[in-house]
Amino acid sequence: MRNMIFLFFFVASVSAQERYRLCAPQSISDNTCYSLQRGESQVSCLRVEDSADCAIKLSRGDADFGVFTAEELLLAHQFYPTGLQLISQLRHKDKIIEEFEFQSVAVVPTTYNSVEGNFNGLQNGGLCHPGFSKAQMWNNYILKYFEKKVYGSTCRDSMTTAENEAMNLQNFFGKACRPGEWVSDNAYTTELKNKYPDLCSLCDTSSSCTYRNMDNHGHTGALDCLTSGRGKVAYVALNYVRQYFALDSPAAIIANMTASSYQFLCPNGTVQPLTTSNPCAWVKQPWSAIAVRDDRASSLLEGLKNWLKPTRSAEDWTTALRSIIQQDAVPNFFTEYTSFETYLRKGREVSFPTSSCGNTIRWCTISTLETNKCNWIAKAAVTHGIEPQISCDQTNSTFHCFHDIADHKADIITIDSNYGHLARQVFNLTTVLYTETETDRNSVVIAVVREGSSYNVSSFAALSKRTACFPEYGGIAWLSFINTARTNGVLSESCDYATIVADFLSGACTPGFRDRDHLNSSLTSSAGSTLCSLCPLENNNATCSANSSNIYYGDKGALECLKSTAGDIAFIEAKNLNAYIEQGLINASHYRVLCKNSSLALYTGFNVDDQCALSVTIDSEMVGRKSDEQDARVKLTDITLALLQIEDWLGYRTNVLRPIHVYGPFNGTKDLLFKDSTSGLESTSSTIKSVLAYKELFQHVQTCSSSATLLLTNISIILVGVLFLVQTL
């Protein structure tokens, strides 16, 4: 009996000490988490990548609570409309009486004739807009909310989404001042401003499209634009209106007769005086809030009320908890549990339009996890006002995506640089954006020989009639070898790569050479007898396969081909072997690198500098369909601008509050949609060294493609001429 009583108290004690798991993003330091978990703490840190990761962990019971901004709640609600609750909002300590974090309002003169239900009085009146700045909290959805609700959205297929927007604005407001970057590409922003100068004509400096007074992220300049009589409406933040017109001081209002000349324009078309205590706002942004699982709501509500008490003076674990949750905020606990939707609907819409100008961007994915991440990114793009919208179309492989993009069933995919040549040569795809790689994680291709062998290859010229091992036909190692061999004068300028390599070598294993996804009709099949001669027979009696059934496939396979003495040299991406080296499966000292200047490295191993490696490039890129047709160019521009906006709001931008990290892991898995080595996106005109090196690899390929296109064009012209002569005889 005593044992049973002891067991009961033991279990009760363990249960009493159960720790609640708080989502801890990277912004919370390890030291803070250690402090939180000391002593008799009832809360522990659970590391998450971002708020999306926190929402996922909350929904499946891995986490118990976390802090979410309104934007993060908005995104999480799209996936988890039930099962999670809010128990407290977190108001800034200097704005405790403010119900919302910020509110956007429209201000018009008192001479404006309001008509409930329409905004015709604004037509050709001029818009004073604060402008677009990466330094402010407002994203594109909020910055464009007023104008999109007011003007009729007409979509013209011949125009990009951004130009449709500019024309719609000009057609409705006539003139405007919209400073900053209209799109996330400086060159295209300039092009649009030059084409639609009326949208900058109300600015103090129309040539540069800026206000003289850019205080408060342009909101003060927008109010100057309104009060000077240039524009009929200003769309700005409520707090700046209060400052500008001194609305918080009754005495100042009396002295400031300007305030009586203006009024708020409401979303229903009516108006209110500036002195109203509850102005009609267009967007009311709720404060950040504490989200919890439904089954933890009751206990955490009582616990946090106690742990976050400002009167607690003891320097214990609750001090760390307050620093994590509150920072400069004060908790305002709800009297009843509140759903995400109920909380958000007090100030803004929680549902979004399902279509926009521009064709939907079809992002090709190759796994369920990748599709899930894509869906989160697509929803985040919508909540941030990024257009056109994105759909996520799942297939089962990169090559399947290549086929779908070529067949107009999909639009984009991020690929390993290893597939850059095949994407261009076989599927006629092109770069949409380059993905800048973290410098120490670039793709480095090297040529490797066995150390100490009597028949060691000591130069590229010495490779003549020798044998070689490649990870994959058409891969980046294959292309790097061909470019380097040309530079060293041992291969010709022929466009038939397979034939010139087969004629140069006596044998090779080039996995994938016989695969239809690796070849196009211009390649000669006779080269296969040489380029597949070293590949071993597989279980199904096939050979030269580009998959795991071929033990010489991939970088490890190419090195195995060299180690077995089947080949005299192997061309590999060194970083792909790091894990095998760390596990002791590969001894790097058994190999030596043949540098691109045709000399052997001084030391054994794979670590060589950029001057020795055959190529040092980015390790991935985004590709899409190549076309010179007008509608295709418009779509490509739309895709590029949307992706650059996603980079701005969900990438590595400083001080950005991103609800999901587009380059980071998702649900515990790396390299989904983008490699985790990605640090940003670069345009096709990028001058970054690793991007230039990657582009250089394809210069000869593109020359060959251009020549082939010109030849086909000339043949077509000749045939048309012959047909015409035949018809006239």
Side-chain angles (χ1 to χ4, degrees):
M1 183 65 180
R2 288 182 179 179
N3 289 341
M4 291 182 64
I5 293 173
F6 175 79
L7 180 61
F8 171 79
F9 281 110
F10 175 77
V11 171
S13 175
V14 170
S15 178
Q17 294 300 313
E18 179 183 7
R19 287 183 173 179
Y20 296 98
R21 295 155 296 184
L22 167 66
C23 290
Q26 296 174 356
S27 57
I28 299 173
S29 70
D30 288 340
N31 286 339
T32 302
C33 279
Y34 295 147
S35 298
L36 175 64
Q37 294 162 188
R38 294 188 63 182
E40 298 181 358
S41 170
Q42 291 182 255
V43 177
S44 64
C45 284
L46 178 70
R47 285 296 179 185
V48 295
E49 291 295 327
D50 42 47
S51 69
D53 192 29
C54 180
I56 292 170
K57 286 181 166 59
L58 284 171
S59 69
R60 68 185 184 201
D62 294 340
D64 297 310
F65 69 117
V67 176
F68 288 72
T69 65
E71 297 294 342
E72 292 168 342
L73 289 173
L74 196 60
L75 177 58
H77 171 68
Q78 310 302 312
F79 294 90
Y80 303 112
T82 60
L84 304 178
Q85 300 286 339
L86 300 176
I87 59 174
S88 175
Q89 64 176 191
L90 298 166
R91 298 188 182 185
H92 192 278
K93 62 181 181 181
D94 297 330
K95 299 179 180 180
I96 296 177
I97 63 172
E98 297 288 344
E99 186 179 358
F100 298 98
E101 186 173 11
F102 64 78
Q103 300 182 56
S104 69
V105 294
V107 182
V108 294
T110 51
T111 55
Y112 173 81
N113 295 319
S114 65
V115 177
E116 187 171 354
N118 77 65
F119 302 94
N120 294 337
L122 295 177
Q123 283 189 296
N124 297 314
L127 168 66
C128 301
H129 192 280
F132 299 84
S133 165
K134 294 176 182 177
Q136 66 175 324
M137 292 174 60
W138 287 15
N139 59 36
N140 274 13
Y141 179 82
I142 297 168
L143 285 167
K144 298 178 181 180
Y145 186 83
F146 168 73
E147 59 194 40
K148 283 184 176 293
K149 289 292 184 180
V150 168
Y151 69 67
S153 182
T154 301
C155 297
R156 307 159 191 88
D157 293 340
S158 61
M159 292 183 178
T160 63
T161 302
E163 187 171 356
N164 267 305
E165 182 178 277
M167 180 169 278
N168 287 334
L169 279 164
Q170 185 170 278
N171 288 346
F172 184 82
F173 290 105
K175 296 182 178 182
C177 181
R178 282 173 105 233
E181 294 184 8
W182 293 357
V183 294
S184 295
D185 180 88
N186 290 332
Y188 196 60
T189 290
T190 301
E191 181 181 330
L192 288 174
K193 287 180 178 179
N194 289 336
K195 195 169 183 178
Y196 299 92
D198 284 349
L199 297 182
C200 292
S201 61
L202 299 188
C203 297
D204 295 309
T205 309
S206 58
S207 59
S208 60
C209 204
T210 58
Y211 297 118
R212 279 191 297 270
N213 189 342
M214 287 300 292
D215 288 350
N216 303 319
H217 307 294
H219 291 253
T220 301
L223 289 167
D224 285 340
C225 169
L226 173 70
T227 57
S228 67
R230 282 173 280 162
K232 185 175 281 187
V233 61
Y235 179 64
V236 288
L238 175 61
N239 60 315
Y240 297 133
V241 174
R242 287 172 172 165
Q243 291 177 21
Y244 191 89
F245 293 108
L247 299 180
D248 291 331
S249 169
I253 294 175
I254 296 173
N256 181 5
M257 297 305 295
T258 306
S260 62
S261 300
Y262 295 92
Q263 58 192 344
F264 292 117
L265 176 62
C266 302
N268 63 1
T270 62
V271 293
Q272 289 180 348
L274 292 189
T275 53
T276 184
S277 59
N278 185 27
C280 56
W282 290 73
V283 175
K284 300 178 180 180
Q285 185 81 332
W287 292 100
S288 296
I290 301 174
V292 301
R293 286 162 39 199
D294 282 354
D295 60 341
R296 296 294 201 198
S298 178
S299 56
L300 271 171
L301 177 61
E302 295 307 312
L304 287 169
K305 280 182 177 179
N306 179 42
W307 304 328
L308 299 181
K309 281 181 180 177
T311 55
R312 292 183 72 108
S313 57
E315 286 290 328
D316 59 5
W317 62 273
T318 59
T319 304
L321 181 65
R322 288 194 295 277
S323 72
I324 292 172
I325 292 182
Q326 295 181 217
Q327 297 181 5
D328 293 327
V330 176
N332 179 28
F333 289 98
F334 300 136
T335 56
E336 58 184 28
Y337 307 134
T338 305
S339 70
F340 287 12
E341 181 174 5
T342 300
Y343 183 64
L344 292 166
R345 279 197 184 280
K346 290 179 179 179
R348 55 181 301 173
E349 297 174 347
V350 297
S351 58
F352 298 89
T354 56
S355 62
S356 62
C357 284
N359 294 317
T360 299
I361 301 169
R362 298 166 297 181
W363 200 323
C364 195
T365 61
I366 59 174
S367 69
T368 300
L369 256 182
E370 190 165 82
T371 304
N372 289 343
K373 181 179 181 181
C374 179
N375 285 329
W376 277 84
I377 297 297
K379 291 289 187 182
V382 171
T383 62
H384 281 73
I386 299 171
E387 297 175 316
Q389 296 188 14
I390 294 168
S391 69
C392 306
D393 302 341
Q394 185 174 332
T395 64
N396 55 19
S397 71
T398 297
F399 285 106
H400 194 156
C401 281
F402 285 168
H403 283 287
D404 279 359
I405 294 172
D407 294 340
H408 295 259
K409 296 177 182 177
D411 297 310
I412 56 169
I413 183 179
T414 305
I415 61 168
D416 189 293
S417 57
N418 187 57
Y419 295 115
H421 175 57
L422 296 173
R424 289 163 172 79
Q425 179 99 3
V426 181
F427 297 92
N428 196 33
L429 305 186
T430 188
T431 303
V432 175
L433 288 167
Y434 294 106
T435 58
E436 184 180 358
T437 308
E438 295 172 10
T439 304
D440 60 346
R441 301 175 71 182
N442 278 327
S443 173
V444 179
V445 174
I446 56 176
V448 181
V449 297
R450 289 184 298 280
E451 169 63 10
S453 61
S454 59
Y455 49 89
N456 216 353
V457 176
S458 58
S459 69
F460 278 92
L463 276 175
S464 178
K465 301 309 174 184
R466 294 291 186 93
T467 54
C469 310
F470 297 93
E472 187 168 5
Y473 175 74
I476 195 168
W478 163 266
L479 198 60
S480 297
F481 158 68
I482 292 173
N483 282 9
T484 304
R486 279 205 184 94
T487 302
N488 281 275
V490 300
L491 286 182
S492 73
E493 293 295 318
S494 168
C495 294
D496 190 348
Y497 294 176
T499 297
I500 59 174
V501 174
D503 289 346
F504 178 65
L505 300 171
S506 64
C509 181
T510 316
F513 182 77
R514 296 191 175 114
D515 185 342
R516 70 181 184 90
D517 286 333
H518 289 69
L519 294 170
N520 66 24
S521 57
S522 67
L523 294 168
T524 57
S525 58
S526 60
S529 59
T530 300
L531 297 182
C532 289
S533 60
L534 301 187
C535 296
L537 191 66
E538 299 158 21
N539 291 334
N540 58 358
N541 291 323
T543 186
C544 212
S545 301
N547 55 54
S548 57
S549 61
N550 179 358
I551 62 172
Y552 289 171
Y553 168 65
D555 294 283
K556 186 173 184 295
L559 202 64
E560 184 63 33
C561 170
L562 176 66
K563 179 182 177 182
S564 70
T565 73
D568 296 322
I569 192 168
F571 301 93
I572 60 174
E573 279 192 82
K575 70 172 185 177
N576 293 339
L577 301 177
N578 289 342
Y580 299 111
I581 295 171
E582 291 172 1
Q583 296 167 19
L585 300 177
I586 293 175
N587 189 335
S589 65
H590 291 171
Y591 306 93
R592 191 179 292 266
V593 174
L594 174 63
C595 298
K596 65 181 177 184
N597 65 0
S598 208
S599 66
L600 288 169
L602 295 177
Y603 306 101
T604 60
F606 304 139
N607 294 322
V608 293
D609 60 25
D610 293 1
Q611 301 306 311
C612 180
L614 305 192
S615 65
V616 180
T617 68
I618 54 174
D619 71 347
S620 60
E621 64 173 322
M622 297 199 76
V623 296
R625 205 165 29 261
K626 183 194 294 185
S627 176
D628 293 328
E629 296 177 5
Q630 170 65 14
D631 61 339
R633 291 199 299 270
V634 167
K635 180 157 190 171
L636 183 60
T637 302
D638 270 345
I639 291 171
T640 302
L641 295 176
L643 290 170
L644 290 174
Q645 284 254 295
I646 287 173
E647 149 116 282
D648 276 347
W649 290 102
L650 307 179
Y652 280 117
R653 197 180 89 199
T654 305
N655 298 325
V656 65
L657 296 173
R658 53 177 179 258
I660 183 170
H661 189 346
V662 69
Y663 306 132
F666 176 79
N667 211 357
T669 304
K670 295 181 179 180
D671 301 326
L672 298 173
L673 296 183
F674 292 96
K675 287 194 173 186
D676 72 321
S677 58
T678 302
S679 59
L681 298 177
E682 288 289 317
S683 72
T684 52
S685 60
S686 173
T687 56
I688 291 177
K689 184 178 179 181
S690 57
V691 172
L692 291 176
Y694 186 67
K695 293 162 74 172
E696 186 179 347
L697 283 178
F698 302 110
Q699 285 179 355
H700 191 268
V701 176
Q702 291 166 343
T703 301
C704 289
S705 298
S706 299
S707 299
T709 301
L710 181 60
L711 178 61
L712 288 172
T713 301
N714 290 337
I715 290 173
S716 298
I717 293 172
I718 293 170
L719 289 174
V720 170
V722 170
L723 181 61
F724 176 76
L725 287 173
V726 170
Q727 290 175 337
T728 56
L729 289 177

